[in-house]
Amino acid sequence: DDSRTRSPTYPIGPVMRVVTSFGLVPSPARVYAMNDDVFASFELEATPPRNMHSWHGDIFSSYARPWQSLADAFRVSDPERAERCRQRAAAFAH
């Protein structure tokens, strides 16, 4: 089991936060709220970059990561919230 050797992480916006123990990883509901706050502060363009293989395209695509991770986290416990997260991720995965 490699979970003992991996550093615990969770997504905040386009980055992954690394913490020192799994006990410091917030609940999915808290991570959802944190990402909601982060994304509310962004001024995102209405359309994706023309070249998704550019630096701008890579950054834009990374905005999908927290929502896809949260969709996976809520898959069983809250299917409706999981679907909302999948839809948010899809908006960035072009």
Side-chain angles (χ1 to χ4, degrees):
D1 179 349
D2 72 333
S3 66
R4 290 174 289 181
T5 59
R6 288 184 300 163
S7 296
T9 62
Y10 58 95
I12 298 295
V15 300
M16 294 297 287
R17 180 167 284 170
V18 180
V19 292
T20 56
S21 75
F22 286 95
L24 296 174
V25 175
S27 70
R30 179 70 186 122
V31 174
Y32 182 95
M34 294 165 75
N35 276 285
D36 232 6
D37 290 346
V38 167
F39 278 83
S41 71
F42 289 170
E43 292 184 27
L44 298 172
E45 296 176 22
T47 58
R50 283 186 223 152
N51 181 357
M52 291 304 285
H53 300 290
S54 66
W55 178 83
H56 186 209
D58 287 344
I59 294 297
F60 190 84
S61 295
S62 72
Y63 294 147
R65 182 180 29 236
W67 303 114
Q68 189 56 55
S69 294
L70 286 163
D72 294 343
F74 289 121
R75 184 176 50 84
V76 173
S77 65
D78 191 342
E80 289 179 24
R81 188 179 278 189
E83 181 57 28
R84 287 194 306 269
C85 290
R86 272 191 291 282
Q87 289 171 2
R88 288 180 88 166
F92 300 109
H94 291 281

